[in-house]
Amino acid sequence: MADNILTYKGRPLVRDANKIYYGEPYNKSIIVLTILENKQVAGKEMPSRILVQLQSTDPELALKKEKILNEVERKTLSDALNIGSVWLEKQLSAE
């Protein structure tokens, strides 16, 4: 991995607009965090509503609904990352 990639618990975090992808794309599952709302905190925009989804990376699954293995909403990015990392660890250890 390149030195400039942000990681959380040893896995890469990549942001694209309002989505944050957590995990390795070559694994069978990945976490997708979608920032649904932001709020101002000390003059900075902070996520205040995040959709957490455990998704399959299987290219055979055509519909997005089929790819979603688990989902929940959280109010903070740290809560979203914590639940996402637990789901991902469990999913990857079951493979």
Side-chain angles (χ1 to χ4, degrees):
M1 259 191 279
D3 292 334
N4 61 350
I5 293 178
L6 185 61
T7 62
Y8 178 73
K9 294 186 178 183
R11 298 192 190 281
L13 281 167
V14 177
R15 184 169 183 170
D16 181 26
N18 68 332
K19 292 193 184 277
I20 301 171
Y21 300 91
Y22 174 61
E24 301 284 356
Y26 55 80
N27 287 134
K28 291 194 178 202
S29 300
I30 194 166
I31 294 294
V32 179
L33 307 171
T34 305
I35 300 168
L36 302 173
E37 289 179 3
N38 291 301
K39 68 178 179 180
Q40 291 290 325
V41 177
K44 296 189 181 209
E45 229 176 63
M46 300 294 289
S48 60
R49 195 169 143 231
I50 303 116
L51 178 64
V52 183
Q53 293 179 322
L54 175 64
Q55 292 186 6
S56 172
T57 57
D58 185 352
E60 298 293 316
L61 299 175
L63 300 174
K64 184 164 175 85
K65 261 189 168 178
E66 293 174 340
K67 291 184 177 222
I68 298 170
L69 305 173
N70 209 348
E71 77 176 12
V72 70
E73 276 191 31
R74 290 293 182 249
K75 292 186 179 192
T76 67
L77 188 55
S78 63
D79 286 347
L81 281 170
N82 284 334
I83 190 84
S85 68
V86 169
W87 286 350
L88 190 58
E89 285 300 317
K90 284 183 181 179
Q91 187 70 22
L92 296 178
S93 68
E95 293 178 357

